[in-house]
Amino acid sequence: MTLGDPWHSLVAALPQPTWLVELPGRAVVAANAPALALLGLPADTLIGHPADHLIATPEDLAYWDEVTAGHAGRLRSDTVVCTADGRTVHVDRSIEPVTPPGAAAPTHCVVMLIDRSSAQQAENAREELLAELQATLESTADGILVTDLNGRVRAFNRRFAQVWGIPEDLVQERNDSAVHEWMKKSVVDPDAYERRLAAMHQATLLATSERLQLHSGQVLERVTRPLWVRGRPNGRVYSFRDLTERLAADQRIEELAHTDVLTGLPNRRMLADRVAQSAQRSRREGLPFALLVVDLDRFGQVNDSLGHEIGDRVLLEVAQRIQGCMRANDVLARVGGDQFALLVHDADGNAAEATARRVLSVVALPCSIEGAQFTITCSIGAALCPQHGQSLDDLVRHAEAAMRAVKSAGRGHFRFHQQPSARGATDLKAHMRLDHAMRQALVSGRFRLHYQPQVRMSDGRLVGAEALIRWRDPELGEVPPGRFIPVAEDSGFIVAIGDWVLSQAVRQGALWHESGHAVPIAVNVSALQFQQTHFVDRVASVLAVSALPPHLLELELTESILVRDADEALARLHALARLGVSLSIDDFGTGYSSLAYLKRFPIGKLKIDRSFVQGLPGDESDAGIVRAILQMARALDMRVIAEGVETEVQREFLEAAGCDEFQGFLYAPALDALSFERHLHRQPSELPPPLPAPLAAPHIRLVR
Ligand code: C2E
Ligand code: MG
Ligand code: MG
């Protein structure tokens, strides 16, 4: 049976690629233009083509075999078609058997295709987009949650679960209500959280940004936007950013900007704010206030001798002590290394003085840190608002000037700002004039040396001389070394002065030695002079030039030499000892050197500072210190000389306590060379016994 023309016309009229296959031969008998276009074949080339060659997938081949065997059924599935130019096209292909009226079995099959290639492309593009979206979601540092309008979870990234600490299984299960419950339970204020969510459900267009505080201490920033699909809100995107670390860092930065790291006290900046507030209040309400600048005395020595760690502990301790004696609303700030400032509210002169006195006394209480016992004092300068100024700058400047005045007057006290008298400027000028005059004095030969006899306790014999510099200036008159030596130490000119003293004293010693008086000469050496690279060479050459036996030269060093750069000092001291020169420690007891230090150094003699001798024998503290020094020196096998002995009772006490020698007005002040010689001639001089090497000693520290 054949199909007539209407069938062909029908096929030709269909919009989808279609062809008609005759059975059982399987040859194509009609095909429309869309079919030729899809397959890329010229017109009429399809007619007579075997149907199973056009689409040759195993499914199609099996179908045609069935059809040939007389089982023509239907087939519809997605498949691919190869075109004439070798492309593959995704199609929805259906084959339908056709049984003409009156026929017992199908005589033809209609093959119809729907081109799905553009749908497939769209699918592929969508998959790609999804993959990109997922990767983007996962790569953001924020937790992302996407819900539909009813709050059902549509998507989220792993970070979302991490930020909220949602357990893995809850996430895996995609149990929406459990996830929402978890979030609600995690926030500190679940009611407010719920209310906000409800508001967001109501107002689908709402875009918000707010912070959530969690029980875990975390702070999350929640930003939400409506999710738009085809111009309509379709859900909501939430992003959660963990702000905890950033907020903590911000807070720390804020703290650091306003507080001192070591003590945690307000710093200068915060103090400036507080002073500005107080100044405003003072203007408004007429309430005065005071600013005290508290500076620790000789704090550098604590650092140098006990180390910076202990130094820091001392600062902390001092801060606590001051805080302990001030009112809660007053402000203590650390404004410099060893400088504090105290803002005392509602304080007139009397209240400021009372506070200063309390601070002086609590700071001066003994310190005991890691076995080291010592006392720290402080100097305080005070300025009052409004009398002395209104701004922090003015108040601090005035309080600091007052504090410096306390320092130069001997430290450990307090003073108010003095109304301007150009005093500071005068001080500076005087300082400069002195420095200039000193330099002139050296070139003009105006310095002289005096020699103070040193006497042996046991027999009153003269056993040495300390060379002390003297200076009479034509304009300034007699200038005591206590005035100009510190200025020379400040400017560095002490190196030149010290060198002059050394050569002069050694020359004098050599003259006396030549005339039969082997009298040891003690020369004071400043720290700066000792630290000069060629100091040891210089001593050697001075000795060589004047031919003074080295053991007749004694160098008086200060404790600060030993504690600063101890290793280098040790090497230098050994080099001096090798020259045969004697070494002593001047003003012993006023510094911070410890036994541990002393026993390392080749020191033969300690000189007890005048300040400890003064109070003898009545002052128990002085007596105790002197006894301790003597015991310690005995243990170290060192000799001891007491300085500044003015009375017989002092001498007797010292002799009884075992002191070897003394110098002081009791015997004689420092004398010019001729007067000293007269003392020499009165008695045969005698060499002191050779100095033994120092021994190991117990660890004792001196407390004053
Ligand atoms: P110093 O080395 O401790 O010298 C002892 C000081 O005590 C001397 O003061 C001396 O005159 C004084 N003195 C001695 N016996 C008595 C006494 O019984 N009572 C009293 N009140 N004082 C007594 P001077 O000569 O005024 O020297 C003061 C300081 O100046 C010295 O203290 C020393 O540190 C320094 N100095 C003096 N000459 C030199 C020098 O040539 N070089 C260096 N670097 N410093 C020197
Ligand atoms: Mg001395
Ligand atoms: Mg001395």
Side-chain angles (χ1 to χ4, degrees):
M1 185 180 258
T2 57
L3 289 167
D5 256 345
W7 287 96
H8 290 92
S9 309
L10 192 64
V11 168
L14 288 173
Q16 308 296 349
T18 309
W19 57 86
L20 196 62
V21 179
E22 163 262 351
L23 298 180
R26 306 187 199 173
V28 175
V29 291
N32 62 4
L36 292 166
L38 180 85
L39 297 170
L41 294 171
D44 285 342
T45 46
L46 262 182
I47 306 301
H49 221 87
D52 53 352
H53 285 194
L54 286 176
I55 306 179
T57 67
E59 192 185 13
D60 288 74
L61 294 176
Y63 174 82
W64 291 115
D65 285 348
E66 286 286 299
V67 168
T68 313
H71 310 295
R74 284 179 175 164
L75 176 68
R76 180 165 188 180
S77 61
D78 286 348
T79 185
V80 285
V81 176
C82 279
T83 65
D85 57 4
R87 284 180 303 115
T88 49
V89 181
H90 286 264
V91 292
D92 174 345
R93 174 260 299 115
S94 59
I95 309 179
E96 194 77 31
V98 181
T99 312
T107 59
H108 291 78
C109 281
V110 181
V111 179
M112 200 185 297
L113 308 181
I114 297 171
D115 186 349
R116 295 197 62 251
S117 48
S118 50
Q120 187 64 42
Q121 266 167 15
E123 178 94 342
N124 290 349
R126 202 169 64 239
E127 264 175 29
E128 248 170 57
L129 202 65
L130 266 180
E132 277 169 19
L133 200 66
Q134 194 62 35
T136 312
L137 272 187
E138 290 302 345
S139 67
T140 133
D142 296 343
I144 306 281
L145 172 70
V146 183
T147 67
D148 64 15
L149 286 176
N150 296 317
R152 271 192 298 273
V153 176
R154 299 280 303 277
F156 59 84
N157 63 358
R158 265 193 290 269
R159 182 75 186 130
F160 162 71
Q162 282 167 3
V163 166
W164 281 92
I166 301 176
E168 185 79 6
D169 45 348
L170 271 190
V171 181
Q172 296 300 335
E173 284 168 23
R174 307 285 307 238
N175 183 341
D176 290 4
S177 56
V179 167
H180 283 303
E181 194 52 34
W182 179 275
M183 291 164 77
K184 184 178 153 192
K185 183 175 87 190
S186 307
V187 296
V188 169
D189 187 350
D191 294 338
Y193 174 82
E194 278 288 279
R195 279 197 302 278
R196 288 298 292 157
L197 274 192
M200 280 184 249
H201 285 314
Q202 293 276 308
T204 44
L205 299 184
L206 198 67
T208 65
S209 167
E210 54 213 315
R211 286 189 182 174
L212 302 174
Q213 179 84 45
L214 307 197
H215 286 302
S216 61
Q218 286 168 279
V219 178
L220 303 186
E221 180 183 52
R222 175 178 64 190
V223 176
T224 123
R225 299 262 176 283
L227 173 67
W228 293 87
V229 175
R230 271 176 254 116
R232 292 173 57 203
N234 179 275
R236 194 165 269 289
V237 182
Y238 299 88
S239 76
F240 301 95
R241 178 166 298 184
D242 193 339
L243 298 182
T244 322
E245 277 178 20
R246 205 191 77 200
L247 290 179
D250 285 353
Q251 195 182 344
R252 185 82 190 114
I253 288 167
E254 182 69 6
E255 271 172 24
L256 286 179
H258 289 98
T259 54
D260 164 53
V261 182
L262 174 69
T263 57
L265 291 177
N267 62 12
R268 191 178 275 268
R269 209 171 126 190
M270 183 135 134
L271 181 72
D273 293 348
R274 298 300 182 82
V275 168
Q277 285 167 11
S278 301
Q280 245 179 16
R281 213 176 124 225
S282 163
R283 272 193 297 274
R284 216 176 39 237
E285 298 170 23
L287 290 171
F289 69 90
L291 187 78
L292 271 50
V293 167
V294 181
D295 194 284
L296 301 187
D297 296 330
R298 299 197 177 89
F299 181 68
Q301 291 184 3
V302 174
N303 269 338
D304 284 351
S305 55
L306 303 174
H308 284 261
E309 247 172 64
I310 301 252
D312 285 354
R313 300 262 300 272
V314 171
L315 289 171
L316 277 170
E317 169 89 24
V318 166
Q320 278 164 9
R321 287 183 187 188
I322 299 180
Q323 269 179 319
C325 78
M326 61 191 238
R327 289 178 308 188
N329 66 335
D330 292 341
V331 180
L332 176 66
R334 182 170 171 225
V335 292
D338 60 349
Q339 206 173 84
F340 298 86
L342 187 50
L343 170 64
V344 192
H345 291 114
D346 310 339
D348 57 7
N350 288 339
E353 178 174 344
T355 308
R357 288 197 187 284
R358 280 202 307 275
V359 172
L360 284 170
S361 66
V362 291
V363 171
L365 293 172
C367 273
S368 172
I369 295 176
E370 285 186 8
Q373 290 184 315
F374 49 89
T375 301
I376 277 274
T377 59
C378 63
S379 301
I380 303 178
L384 298 170
C385 177
Q387 293 100 300
H388 301 149
Q390 302 255 355
S391 70
L392 177 77
D393 272 2
D394 281 352
L395 291 169
V396 165
R397 197 157 41 81
H398 291 150
E400 272 180 352
M403 179 273 291
R404 276 197 299 276
V406 173
K407 293 253 177 195
S408 46
R411 305 179 172 89
H413 205 63
F414 89 96
R415 189 180 279 203
F416 278 106
H417 165 63
Q418 307 284 313
Q419 291 297 357
S421 68
R423 206 177 151 265
T426 317
D427 281 356
L428 199 65
K429 260 194 219 147
H431 196 284
M432 283 169 66
R433 223 176 72 193
L434 199 60
D435 191 63
H436 178 72
M438 226 160 40
R439 288 166 199 267
Q440 295 297 308
L442 188 63
V443 283
S444 316
R446 288 196 199 109
F447 286 126
R448 336 182 288 285
L449 283 187
H450 276 191
Y451 300 89
Q452 184 171 38
Q454 299 182 326
V455 185
R456 192 156 61 199
M457 287 279 184
S458 53
D459 53 11
R461 196 182 287 274
L462 199 157
V463 286
E466 176 177 5
L468 293 160
I469 194 165
R470 294 293 175 256
W471 170 25
R472 175 183 293 280
D473 187 81
E475 282 178 30
L476 304 169
E478 189 73 35
V479 190
R483 230 184 103 200
F484 70 85
I485 294 284
V487 176
E489 282 173 338
D490 254 12
S491 71
F493 191 56
I494 190 67
V495 176
I497 295 182
D499 195 57
W500 179 84
V501 172
L502 179 70
S503 56
Q504 196 65 20
V506 166
R507 190 181 313 157
Q508 184 61 66
L511 286 175
W512 285 331
H513 182 241
E514 277 166 25
S515 63
H517 299 286
V519 51
I521 306 280
V523 172
N524 291 284
V525 176
S526 273
L528 189 65
Q529 191 187 354
F530 179 80
Q531 282 154 10
Q532 299 298 301
T533 325
H534 301 298
F535 178 67
V536 179
D537 297 341
R538 181 67 190 142
V539 173
S541 90
V542 166
L543 285 171
V545 167
S546 57
L548 180 74
H551 73 270
L552 292 183
L553 175 64
E554 177 181 305
L555 300 180
E556 289 192 8
L557 311 169
T558 60
E559 285 176 86
S560 66
I561 288 177
L562 307 188
V563 294
R564 201 172 299 155
D565 294 328
D567 290 337
E568 203 187 323
L570 185 63
R572 201 158 283 186
L573 291 174
H574 276 298
L576 288 169
R578 278 196 299 274
L579 287 182
V581 168
S582 316
L583 301 169
S584 64
I585 303 289
D586 203 357
D587 307 337
F588 187 76
T590 58
Y592 287 87
S593 58
S594 66
L595 272 192
Y597 267 103
L598 276 190
K599 67 174 189 182
R600 295 171 61 193
F601 298 109
I603 305 289
K605 189 170 172 185
L606 300 180
K607 300 193 71 177
I608 300 180
D609 188 60
R610 204 166 69 215
S611 62
F612 300 113
V613 174
Q614 242 166 17
L616 296 182
D619 187 310
E620 284 194 8
S621 142
D622 284 350
I625 287 168
V626 166
R627 276 200 204 93
I629 295 177
L630 288 166
Q631 268 173 19
M632 194 185 83
R634 215 169 293 138
L636 289 167
D637 216 0
M638 289 180 181
R639 282 185 305 138
V640 177
I641 179 166
E643 293 184 285
V645 177
E646 294 181 353
T647 64
E648 181 55 25
V649 278
Q650 289 171 343
R651 198 201 64 77
E652 277 167 8
F653 176 95
L654 287 158
E655 185 178 10
C659 184
D660 304 282
E661 295 159 18
F662 76 95
Q663 67 183 81
F665 297 167
L666 176 66
Y667 184 85
L671 307 164
D672 61 64
L674 277 176
S675 313
F676 187 87
E677 271 169 32
R678 278 199 288 278
H679 277 266
L680 271 182
H681 291 309
R682 265 198 249 142
Q683 59 176 344
S685 73
E686 188 190 298
L687 281 177
L691 298 178
L695 288 179
H699 292 248
I700 308 168
R701 265 179 225 272
L702 299 176
V703 186
R704 181 164 167 83

